[in-house]
mmCIF file of all heavy atoms in Angstrom:
data_model
loop_
_atom_site.group_PDB
_atom_site.id
_atom_site.type_symbol
_atom_site.label_atom_id
_atom_site.label_comp_id
_atom_site.label_asym_id
_atom_site.label_seq_id
_atom_site.Cartn_x
_atom_site.Cartn_y
_atom_site.Cartn_z
ATOM 1 N N ILE A 719 88.954 92.498 87.144
ATOM 2 C CA ILE A 719 90.210 92.612 86.400
ATOM 3 C C ILE A 719 90.881 93.943 86.739
ATOM 4 O O ILE A 719 92.118 93.981 86.972
ATOM 5 C CB ILE A 719 90.113 92.487 84.864
ATOM 6 C CG1 ILE A 719 89.650 91.036 84.553
ATOM 7 C CG2 ILE A 719 91.325 92.772 84.158
ATOM 8 C CD1 ILE A 719 89.175 90.790 83.144
ATOM 9 N N VAL A 720 90.202 95.054 86.601
ATOM 10 C CA VAL A 720 90.735 96.385 86.905
ATOM 11 C C VAL A 720 91.224 96.441 88.434
ATOM 12 O O VAL A 720 92.462 96.922 88.540
ATOM 13 C CB VAL A 720 89.664 97.410 86.760
ATOM 14 C CG1 VAL A 720 90.220 98.818 87.158
ATOM 15 C CG2 VAL A 720 89.147 97.513 85.285
ATOM 16 N N PHE A 721 90.499 95.933 89.385
ATOM 17 C CA PHE A 721 90.914 96.075 90.675
ATOM 18 C C PHE A 721 92.138 95.152 90.933
ATOM 19 O O PHE A 721 93.083 95.590 91.640
ATOM 20 C CB PHE A 721 89.821 95.668 91.659
ATOM 21 C CG PHE A 721 90.202 95.618 93.039
ATOM 22 C CD1 PHE A 721 90.585 96.819 93.800
ATOM 23 C CD2 PHE A 721 90.397 94.396 93.688
ATOM 24 C CE1 PHE A 721 90.982 96.818 95.180
ATOM 25 C CE2 PHE A 721 90.759 94.426 95.045
ATOM 26 C CZ PHE A 721 91.112 95.551 95.796
ATOM 27 N N ALA A 722 92.097 93.857 90.398
ATOM 28 C CA ALA A 722 93.220 93.024 90.724
ATOM 29 C C ALA A 722 94.509 93.524 90.135
ATOM 30 O O ALA A 722 95.549 93.385 90.765
ATOM 31 C CB ALA A 722 92.835 91.659 90.219
ATOM 32 N N ILE A 723 94.438 94.001 88.923
ATOM 33 C CA ILE A 723 95.656 94.634 88.318
ATOM 34 C C ILE A 723 96.215 95.815 89.206
ATOM 35 O O ILE A 723 97.389 95.858 89.390
ATOM 36 C CB ILE A 723 95.368 95.034 86.851
ATOM 37 C CG1 ILE A 723 95.211 93.800 86.077
ATOM 38 C CG2 ILE A 723 96.524 95.869 86.389
ATOM 39 C CD1 ILE A 723 94.757 94.167 84.552
ATOM 40 N N LEU A 724 95.298 96.764 89.495
ATOM 41 C CA LEU A 724 95.741 97.821 90.281
ATOM 42 C C LEU A 724 96.326 97.472 91.679
ATOM 43 O O LEU A 724 97.330 98.013 92.116
ATOM 44 C CB LEU A 724 94.664 98.929 90.418
ATOM 45 C CG LEU A 724 94.183 99.661 89.122
ATOM 46 C CD1 LEU A 724 92.977 100.516 89.482
ATOM 47 C CD2 LEU A 724 95.356 100.474 88.653
ATOM 48 N N LEU A 725 95.643 96.508 92.285
ATOM 49 C CA LEU A 725 96.081 96.091 93.597
ATOM 50 C C LEU A 725 97.466 95.380 93.509
ATOM 51 O O LEU A 725 98.335 95.657 94.347
ATOM 52 C CB LEU A 725 95.092 95.091 94.227
ATOM 53 C CG LEU A 725 95.359 94.533 95.583
ATOM 54 C CD1 LEU A 725 95.421 95.635 96.721
ATOM 55 C CD2 LEU A 725 94.415 93.485 96.004
ATOM 56 N N GLY A 726 97.582 94.443 92.537
ATOM 57 C CA GLY A 726 98.808 93.835 92.382
ATOM 58 C C GLY A 726 100.019 94.750 92.085
ATOM 59 O O GLY A 726 101.080 94.664 92.649
ATOM 60 N N CYS A 727 99.758 95.683 91.218
ATOM 61 C CA CYS A 727 100.787 96.740 90.882
ATOM 62 C C CYS A 727 101.036 97.553 92.084
ATOM 63 O O CYS A 727 102.281 97.811 92.326
ATOM 64 C CB CYS A 727 100.251 97.653 89.739
ATOM 65 S SG CYS A 727 101.490 98.812 89.091
ATOM 66 N N GLY A 728 100.094 97.989 92.888
ATOM 67 C CA GLY A 728 100.341 98.788 94.043
ATOM 68 C C GLY A 728 101.108 98.054 95.101
ATOM 69 O O GLY A 728 102.071 98.592 95.721
ATOM 70 N N LEU A 729 100.818 96.717 95.336
ATOM 71 C CA LEU A 729 101.566 95.986 96.284
ATOM 72 C C LEU A 729 102.997 95.689 95.896
ATOM 73 O O LEU A 729 103.940 95.686 96.723
ATOM 74 C CB LEU A 729 100.920 94.629 96.576
ATOM 75 C CG LEU A 729 99.559 94.773 97.359
ATOM 76 C CD1 LEU A 729 98.858 93.330 97.451
ATOM 77 C CD2 LEU A 729 99.858 95.164 98.860
ATOM 78 N N ALA A 730 103.218 95.553 94.609
ATOM 79 C CA ALA A 730 104.578 95.361 94.141
ATOM 80 C C ALA A 730 105.409 96.596 94.325
ATOM 81 O O ALA A 730 106.520 96.555 94.817
ATOM 82 C CB ALA A 730 104.579 95.010 92.636
ATOM 83 N N ARG A 731 104.758 97.731 94.113
ATOM 84 C CA ARG A 731 105.416 99.087 94.247
ATOM 85 C C ARG A 731 105.719 99.276 95.808
ATOM 86 O O ARG A 731 106.653 99.883 96.184
ATOM 87 C CB ARG A 731 104.679 100.119 93.625
ATOM 88 C CG ARG A 731 105.368 101.450 93.609
ATOM 89 C CD ARG A 731 104.828 102.266 92.459
ATOM 90 N NE ARG A 731 105.426 103.572 92.321
ATOM 91 C CZ ARG A 731 105.327 104.369 91.375
ATOM 92 N NH1 ARG A 731 104.604 103.961 90.183
ATOM 93 N NH2 ARG A 731 105.883 105.579 91.336
ATOM 94 N N ALA A 732 104.643 98.976 96.590
ATOM 95 C CA ALA A 732 104.778 99.164 98.042
ATOM 96 C C ALA A 732 105.845 98.391 98.642
ATOM 97 O O ALA A 732 106.372 98.689 99.686
ATOM 98 C CB ALA A 732 103.393 98.917 98.663
ATOM 99 N N SER A 733 106.063 97.205 98.097
ATOM 100 C CA SER A 733 107.035 96.181 98.785
ATOM 101 C C SER A 733 108.454 96.230 98.086
ATOM 102 O O SER A 733 109.241 95.471 98.406
ATOM 103 C CB SER A 733 106.515 94.696 98.640
ATOM 104 O OG SER A 733 106.279 94.460 97.314
ATOM 105 N N ALA A 734 108.668 97.307 97.322
ATOM 106 C CA ALA A 734 110.067 97.545 96.780
ATOM 107 C C ALA A 734 110.943 97.960 97.902
ATOM 108 O O ALA A 734 110.558 98.424 98.880
ATOM 109 C CB ALA A 734 109.979 98.603 95.698
ATOM 110 N N GLU A 735 112.178 97.553 97.744
ATOM 111 C CA GLU A 735 113.249 97.845 98.761
ATOM 112 C C GLU A 735 113.316 99.332 99.052
ATOM 113 O O GLU A 735 113.267 100.146 98.097
ATOM 114 C CB GLU A 735 114.546 97.314 98.379
ATOM 115 C CG GLU A 735 114.615 95.821 98.324
ATOM 116 C CD GLU A 735 114.427 95.141 99.573
ATOM 117 O OE1 GLU A 735 114.659 95.787 100.736
ATOM 118 O OE2 GLU A 735 113.899 93.953 99.647
ATOM 119 N N PRO A 736 113.455 99.762 100.389
ATOM 120 C CA PRO A 736 113.521 101.163 100.682
ATOM 121 C C PRO A 736 114.628 101.936 99.908
ATOM 122 O O PRO A 736 114.465 103.095 99.607
ATOM 123 C CB PRO A 736 113.821 101.200 102.229
ATOM 124 C CG PRO A 736 113.235 99.778 102.661
ATOM 125 C CD PRO A 736 113.508 98.874 101.497
ATOM 126 N N VAL A 737 115.721 101.257 99.611
ATOM 127 C CA VAL A 737 116.851 101.872 98.970
ATOM 128 C C VAL A 737 116.425 102.386 97.620
ATOM 129 O O VAL A 737 116.614 103.500 97.184
ATOM 130 C CB VAL A 737 118.079 100.980 98.898
ATOM 131 C CG1 VAL A 737 119.197 101.663 98.027
ATOM 132 C CG2 VAL A 737 118.708 100.581 100.269
#
Side-chain angles (χ1 to χ4, degrees):
I719 292 172
V720 173
F721 174 68
I723 289 175
L724 290 176
L725 180 65
C727 188
L729 285 173
R731 190 153 176 168
S733 55
E735 293 297 332
V737 174

